[in-house]
């Protein structure tokens, strides 16, 4: 199966799941601002789950951008990921109706934690499947993603521990915190990779490299590597 079909299928399923979330919201009774106010746990749970799924989609988009090959383990890991994603509307509805229930929050937490573990497995499978065909820059991005997902998992585990012992709504709060962490780290990693690729092509300035934490030595090395690559390409054309 081609990469494009897997990405399109994943996007479609996630879009449906994120849309279904809103269907579980109750209508206010009576239809007043006070009635809307009484539904705040539902709207909060909906917003947290929606933006968490959205941050995961953004991260998957970055990850799949450099993928060349898709094998059977990648396909089945993706299916497993979507299975646990499909449970999010159900677990969100439980939290929305039982906001201060440690059982409801813990069930939600188990779902997102297992989903995160599956996400880590998908990253590992993609790296294994593309080990010999991906660029060095993309390989570095994959390692960053695995590291970020490990921290993401740790945040959620702390959340479910607090949910079960001290404050039930902690799971939802920590899930949102993990989503924000995932989004910020993804944006930073993508920017770093883009600048490095531009530097390799001689199109980035020293200020661009410095803005993403690079040094002048790295910039000069990238420029030199670009010149060497261009020289080898010219020699190949002449031959």
């Amino acid at each position: 199966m081609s990469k494009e079909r897997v990405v399109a299928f994943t996007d479609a399923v996630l879009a449906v799941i994120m849309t279904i979330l809103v269907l579980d919201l109750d209508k206010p009774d009576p239809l007043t601002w006070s009635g809307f106010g009484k539904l705040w746990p539902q709207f909060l749970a909906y917003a947290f789950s929606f933006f968490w799924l959205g941050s995961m989609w953004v991260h998957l988009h970055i990850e799949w951008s450099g993928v060349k090959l898709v094998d059977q383990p990648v396909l089945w890991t993706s299916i497993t990921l979507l299975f646990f994603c499909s449970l999010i509307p159900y677990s969100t509805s439980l939290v929305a109706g039982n906001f201060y229930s440690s059982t409801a929050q813990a069930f939600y937490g188990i779902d997102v934690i297992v989903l995160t573990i599956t996400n880590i497995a998908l990253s590992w499978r993609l790296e294994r499947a593309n080990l010999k065909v991906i660029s060095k820059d993309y390989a570095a991005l994959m390692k960053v993603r695995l590291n970020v997902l490990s921290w993401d998992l740790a945040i959620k585990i702390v959340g479910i521990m607090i949910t079960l012992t001290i404050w039930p709504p902690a799971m939802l709060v920590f899930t949102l915190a993990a989503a924000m962490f995932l989004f910020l780290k993804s944006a930073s990693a993508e920017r770093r990779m883009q600048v490095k690729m531009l530097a390799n092509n001689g199109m980035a300035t020293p200020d661009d490299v410095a803005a993403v934490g690079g040094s002048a030595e790295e910039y000069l090395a990238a420029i030199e590597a670009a010149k060497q690559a261009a020289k080898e390409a010219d020699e190949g054309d002449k031959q």
Side-chain angles (χ1 to χ4, degrees):
M1 184 179 290
S2 68
K3 159 192 164 180
E4 287 72 23
R5 287 191 65 186
V6 181
V7 172
F9 179 73
T10 301
D11 287 351
V13 173
L14 283 176
V16 171
I17 291 170
M18 293 171 74
T19 302
I20 288 175
L21 282 170
V22 76
L23 300 180
D24 286 327
L25 295 177
D26 292 335
K27 296 178 181 178
D29 184 22
L31 187 56
T32 62
W33 291 116
S34 175
F36 275 110
K38 293 177 181 178
L39 296 177
W40 70 265
Q42 293 191 30
F43 283 102
L44 191 64
Y46 162 70
F48 279 24
S49 293
F50 184 92
F51 284 104
W52 180 69
L53 287 171
S55 71
M56 187 181 69
W57 178 84
V58 170
H59 213 154
L60 286 171
H61 168 71
I62 296 170
E63 180 177 59
W64 280 89
S65 63
V67 169
K68 305 294 183 183
L69 301 175
V70 175
D71 57 13
Q72 286 289 329
V74 167
L75 292 177
W76 282 109
T77 307
S78 296
I79 290 295
T80 305
L81 178 75
L82 293 175
F83 169 76
F84 288 110
C85 284
S86 69
L87 285 173
I88 290 296
Y90 176 69
S91 58
T92 300
S93 67
L94 290 179
V95 169
N98 306 274
F99 197 77
Y100 291 100
S101 166
S102 60
T103 302
Q105 292 278 359
F107 182 86
Y108 181 89
I110 291 170
D111 188 17
V112 297
I113 286 173
V114 176
L115 207 163
T116 302
I117 293 172
T118 309
N119 207 355
I120 293 173
L122 178 61
S123 292
W124 183 79
R125 288 293 188 184
L126 283 170
E127 185 179 22
R128 296 281 296 179
N130 293 268
L131 200 57
K132 297 181 179 180
V133 296
I134 57 177
S135 66
K136 292 182 179 179
D137 291 338
Y138 183 69
L141 181 65
M142 293 287 280
K143 292 187 184 301
V144 170
R145 173 172 164 77
L146 283 169
N147 181 56
V148 170
L149 284 173
S150 297
W151 280 103
D152 175 66
L153 178 61
I155 293 172
K156 291 167 183 169
I157 290 174
V158 171
I160 198 169
M161 291 173 63
I162 295 177
T163 287
L164 291 171
T165 57
I166 302 175
W167 188 53
M171 189 65 242
L172 210 59
V173 174
F174 274 70
T175 298
L176 181 63
M180 295 174 63
F181 174 80
L182 197 65
F183 173 76
L184 293 174
K185 286 295 183 179
S186 295
S188 176
E190 185 177 29
R191 173 60 178 163
R192 179 180 289 274
M193 187 177 75
Q194 289 174 344
V195 168
K196 191 171 183 179
M197 291 174 65
L198 288 173
N200 287 339
N201 293 316
M203 298 172 64
T205 67
D207 289 340
D208 290 332
V209 177
V212 294
S215 63
E217 289 77 11
E218 290 175 330
Y219 175 76
L220 294 174
I223 295 298
E224 190 61 35
K227 290 180 179 178
Q228 184 63 30
K231 182 178 178 181
E232 292 175 356
D234 289 339
E235 291 175 352
D237 292 338
K238 290 178 181 178
Q239 292 176 357

